[in-house]
Amino acid sequence: MDSILFNLMLIGALGIGSQWVAWRFRLPAIVVMSIVGLLVGPIFGMIDPKEDFGALFHPFISIAVAIILFEGSLNLDFREVSGLGAPVVRIVTIGAFLAWLFGSFAAHYVAGLSWAVAFVIGGLFIVTGPTVILPLLRQAKLKPRPAAILKWEGIIVDPFGALLAVFAFEIIKFLMDEKVTAMTLLLFFLASIFALIIGWTCGRGIGWMFEKGHVPEFLKSPVVFVVVITCFVLSDEMMHETGLLAVTAMGMTLANRHISSIEDMRHFKENISVLLISTIFVMLTASLTVDTLYKILNINIAVFVLLMLFIVRPLSIWLSTSGTDLSKQEKTLVGWIAPRGIVALTVSGYFSSVLLDAGFTDASILTPITFALVFSTVCVHGFSIGWLAKKLDLAINSQPGVLIIGSSIFSTALAKVLQDLNIPVLIADSSWQRLHPARKAGVSFYHGEILSEQTEYRLDLTPYEYMITATELDSYNALVCTTFIPSIGRNNVFQLSLRNKRGDDLKDLVHTIGGRILFKKEASWEEINKKVESGYVFRKTNITERYSFEKYLKERNKETLLLFILKPTGRIEFFVEDTNIGASVGDVVVSLTSPSKEFNKIQEKLEQEQEMQHHK
């Protein structure tokens, strides 16, 4: 028991540690997790999850995949796919069918598998899946259209790939085993339909209970997870792998009922999904054997992987999307990105044992060939998606942007400075009149309520890593900050200083709700706008070896308001209350300076230039 506890702790620590390393050094998380799993598993032999967990290994992996797939399918709101219908439908139907055929031919003629095994594995290899696609999309910051296509394909095709493999296996048994009749195939199709009905029913049932208030808030997340597991197990017990179809149907049903309770739980479910992905990827790669790794080096397997990368996937996408409005750039990107993940690894392990028991000896290389494809696609696509997206102009500007809530003279002037520094910036306000300064200054703006549900579909927030709430109402600023903290992060959400003397007394709540207080206590909405109206100017100061940040602080006027520091990497560090930050060589310090101070600086600079000319 102590060994199992230690291994659970180690796997969890390695998985989350890999996620942190990937975030810190901007690496594909799944690549880091795969490498870590190989190091602690077959290479150094520290753990062997299959042996350590015994009979619990496969059930744990299956339930984890079901929860991950359910969480991903909760993002499949039909409103999001508006305008993408034809390409998505073509890719998940014609594209998947072509990928199955081409992949099966490659497996037979190149990898040397028998037709029976080739068609089983060909069906399995059409899957991409949310476990690999969603982390890559977060990393690459694609434009909304290609990102939505890849996400929808990954989540929809994921359960169908497993079902296609099951279907191929049932057909093989029907053709080769006299005991298997047409009734067996009929039962397979009926089981798939039953899985859809179970998923739809569970989704409708949960939605009805939440809407009618039959489940208290503190039980909603536990109830959802229990129902997901129940839905998965009931379907899977009837026909292996139909459980994935059931949880996908359940997630899509809930997503399109637009229940506020489900939205409130979304971030909790995302956190669970990240934890599960981290854990099971380390477990699966650590479970591989040295013999499996040696088999991967087989030349036939290597050529098969290359064909899947450069021929099968691009050809199936280009053929299936012919005649749609997808651009060549979008077809190229979608045709290249198809990383395989957890579902492929787990299901191939199942079919490897089943096919071997059925007498297909060549099924022994299913695990090596699957891992070769999974690891190759994860590495190649993980490292190339960002570069290729930029080359094809399908990536959002990598420079972290700033979203400002509330249009005013100050916020408009701040946006202009950010714009001059080539930082993506957007001012959002629900009042067309208040947006007048922004419109007049030529600053990008959004007219609408940032907290409205419609904003999620009308406004792409991906380019903006920082949020500043700068309206007149402290309570509204705090509400907006609190709403966006889970998605943007507490360290990147800011609001202007609270006006405790005039507005709501929010002083006691500042540590529990709202964002970080910008600049300093005196920099309230009135004060900061007064400064801009009275002629205060935004000043950009370059920190050099000759002009250090310490020297800048000594020479600055006491009335100067320090705003933020722009790092050479593009990262922005805002000055916040009760936090000291420093600037180093190469940084740019942006401040709000009094007109007299700015005039004196200009005069001093002119005198220095004249003196230098005189010395020359």
Side-chain angles (χ1 to χ4, degrees):
M1 183 60 69
D2 291 339
S3 176
I4 292 178
L5 285 175
F6 176 81
N7 288 336
L8 277 174
M9 176 277 296
L10 181 62
I11 289 169
L14 290 173
I16 298 302
S18 299
Q19 291 273 8
W20 183 86
V21 169
W23 165 80
R24 181 66 180 82
F25 297 100
R26 297 181 178 273
L27 298 170
I30 294 172
V31 174
V32 179
M33 289 186 286
S34 299
I35 293 173
V36 168
L38 289 175
L39 290 175
V40 299
I43 295 178
F44 293 117
M46 295 172 62
I47 57 173
D48 184 354
K50 274 189 180 178
E51 183 179 325
D52 296 335
F53 297 110
L56 292 175
F57 180 79
H58 289 295
F60 176 77
I61 296 292
S62 297
I63 289 175
V65 171
I67 293 173
I68 293 165
L69 197 57
F70 168 75
E71 192 277 324
S73 63
L74 275 177
N75 296 315
L76 298 182
D77 192 321
F78 289 126
R79 292 178 297 184
E80 183 183 327
V81 80
S82 176
L84 294 176
V88 169
V89 170
R90 292 273 201 93
I91 289 171
V92 301
T93 53
I94 300 173
F97 180 73
L98 291 175
W100 178 34
L101 289 182
F102 296 156
S104 301
F105 290 152
H108 175 70
Y109 289 111
V110 177
L113 296 174
S114 62
W115 279 115
V117 178
F119 271 102
V120 170
I121 204 67
L124 187 58
F125 284 165
I126 70 169
V127 303
T128 52
T131 58
V132 281
I133 279 294
L134 297 183
L136 287 188
L137 295 181
R138 283 195 292 267
Q139 165 206 335
K141 294 183 180 178
L142 301 181
K143 289 182 177 178
R145 184 178 168 91
I149 291 172
L150 287 169
K151 181 177 77 173
W152 275 78
E153 181 206 5
I155 295 172
I156 292 175
V157 173
D158 207 42
F160 285 109
L163 282 175
L164 200 56
V166 175
F167 171 69
F169 182 63
E170 294 295 333
I171 291 289
I172 291 165
K173 287 198 297 182
F174 174 69
L175 295 175
M176 302 186 68
D177 191 342
E178 294 179 358
K179 296 178 183 179
V180 179
T181 64
M183 182 58 67
T184 309
L185 290 179
L186 180 61
L187 288 175
F188 167 73
F189 287 113
L190 290 176
S192 300
I193 294 171
F194 181 71
L196 287 172
I197 294 172
I198 287 180
W200 179 83
T201 304
C202 289
R204 295 284 294 185
I206 287 290
W208 179 81
M209 292 177 69
F210 283 9
E211 288 171 337
K212 298 298 181 182
H214 295 310
V215 180
E217 289 296 326
F218 75 96
L219 278 180
K220 285 184 175 178
S221 290
V223 165
V224 167
F225 278 109
V226 168
V227 174
V228 168
I229 294 171
T230 303
C231 177
F232 170 76
V233 172
L234 286 178
S235 299
D236 217 56
E237 286 297 308
M238 289 198 63
M239 177 67 70
H240 197 69
E241 298 308 328
T242 58
L244 297 180
L245 186 63
V247 295
T248 302
M250 178 181 168
M252 290 181 67
T253 302
L254 280 173
N256 289 280
R257 284 182 69 87
H258 309 125
I259 303 168
S260 58
S261 300
I262 297 297
E263 292 299 317
D264 295 339
M265 292 189 296
R266 187 180 297 279
H267 297 294
F268 170 72
K269 296 191 296 293
E270 287 176 351
N271 293 337
I272 293 294
S273 180
V274 169
L275 178 62
L276 290 175
I277 289 172
S278 307
T279 303
I280 60 181
F281 233 91
V282 172
M283 287 179 66
L284 286 171
T285 50
S287 299
L288 296 172
T289 63
V290 176
D291 183 54
T292 300
L293 296 182
Y294 280 128
K295 286 182 179 178
I296 291 172
L297 301 177
N298 184 296
I299 185 65
N300 291 341
I301 292 180
V303 175
F304 170 77
V305 170
L306 291 175
L307 280 175
M308 294 294 289
L309 281 170
F310 294 101
I311 303 296
V312 173
R313 170 67 178 185
L315 189 59
S316 62
I317 292 297
W318 277 81
L319 290 176
S320 63
T321 57
S322 176
T324 65
D325 60 348
L326 284 187
S327 65
K328 291 181 180 179
Q329 290 84 354
E330 288 170 331
K331 289 180 182 179
T332 301
L333 182 67
V334 174
W336 172 243
I337 302 301
R340 277 66 168 188
I342 290 165
V343 171
L345 277 175
T346 54
V347 180
S348 71
Y350 163 76
F351 277 113
S352 177
S353 58
V354 169
L355 287 167
L356 282 172
D357 291 341
F360 297 97
T361 55
D362 54 332
S364 61
I365 69 166
L366 282 190
T367 300
I369 201 172
T370 303
F371 183 75
L373 185 64
V374 168
F375 190 73
S376 299
T377 54
V378 163
C379 289
V380 172
H381 296 152
F383 283 110
S384 65
I385 184 171
W387 173 84
L388 183 61
K390 289 177 184 176
K391 287 289 183 183
L392 297 174
D393 194 28
L394 293 176
I396 294 167
N397 193 330
S398 59
Q399 170 74 48
V402 180
L403 176 62
I404 302 175
I405 310 302
S407 178
S408 64
I409 296 174
F410 164 73
S411 61
T412 300
L414 176 62
K416 281 292 291 181
V417 172
L418 292 167
Q419 201 169 265
D420 292 341
L421 291 169
N422 296 319
I423 298 170
V425 63
L426 181 76
I427 295 180
D429 202 304
S430 59
S431 169
W432 185 255
Q433 184 178 356
R434 284 196 298 266
L435 281 168
H436 176 72
R439 291 185 284 122
K440 187 177 179 181
V443 174
S444 298
F445 66 89
Y446 171 74
H447 179 221
E449 173 54 58
I450 193 66
L451 295 176
S452 169
E453 185 182 354
Q454 295 302 317
T455 299
E456 182 180 350
Y457 303 100
R458 294 176 180 171
L459 180 62
D460 179 28
L461 299 178
T462 309
Y464 310 106
E465 293 189 16
Y466 308 94
M467 172 180 279
I468 296 175
T469 53
T471 72
E472 295 179 80
L473 300 174
D474 292 335
S475 54
Y476 180 76
N477 291 341
L479 176 62
V480 174
C481 288
T482 304
T483 301
F484 282 91
I485 279 173
S487 55
I488 296 180
R490 184 172 294 277
N491 289 336
N492 293 341
V493 175
F494 308 91
Q495 67 182 94
L496 294 181
S497 179
L498 301 175
R499 300 176 296 158
N500 290 314
K501 293 182 179 179
R502 295 185 55 186
D504 299 331
D505 189 3
L506 300 178
K507 188 175 182 180
D508 294 335
L509 299 177
V510 71
H511 296 298
T512 55
I513 68 168
R516 303 170 74 192
I517 302 300
L518 270 176
F519 315 137
K520 58 184 181 180
K521 289 181 180 179
E522 297 78 16
S524 64
W525 187 91
E526 291 96 343
E527 293 301 318
I528 208 164
N529 275 283
K530 277 182 185 177
K531 288 181 182 292
V532 178
E533 287 178 348
S534 64
Y536 272 63
V537 294
F538 288 82
R539 183 163 181 252
K540 300 184 281 288
T541 305
N542 293 305
I543 302 301
T544 63
E545 292 183 0
R546 295 182 60 184
Y547 192 67
S548 65
F549 183 58
E550 291 73 20
K551 187 176 181 181
Y552 167 76
L553 292 178
K554 288 179 183 177
E555 293 183 358
R556 73 184 175 100
N557 192 303
K558 290 183 179 180
E559 296 178 357
T560 298
L561 181 66
L562 299 176
L563 302 180
F564 64 87
I565 296 172
L566 177 63
K567 299 288 185 179
T569 59
R571 188 164 54 89
I572 303 171
E573 290 187 0
F574 288 95
F575 287 93
V576 294
E577 182 68 21
D578 301 328
T579 302
N580 294 320
I581 61 173
S584 52
V585 175
D587 294 349
V588 177
V589 179
V590 178
S591 59
L592 189 60
T593 309
S594 63
S596 58
K597 175 69 175 177
E598 184 68 11
F599 176 79
N600 293 337
K601 283 290 181 184
I602 294 173
Q603 188 66 31
E604 183 181 332
K605 189 175 181 180
L606 289 172
E607 290 175 0
Q608 288 177 352
E609 289 178 354
Q610 290 175 358
E611 186 176 345
M612 289 176 66
Q613 291 291 338
H614 177 73
H615 286 303
K616 286 181 179 179

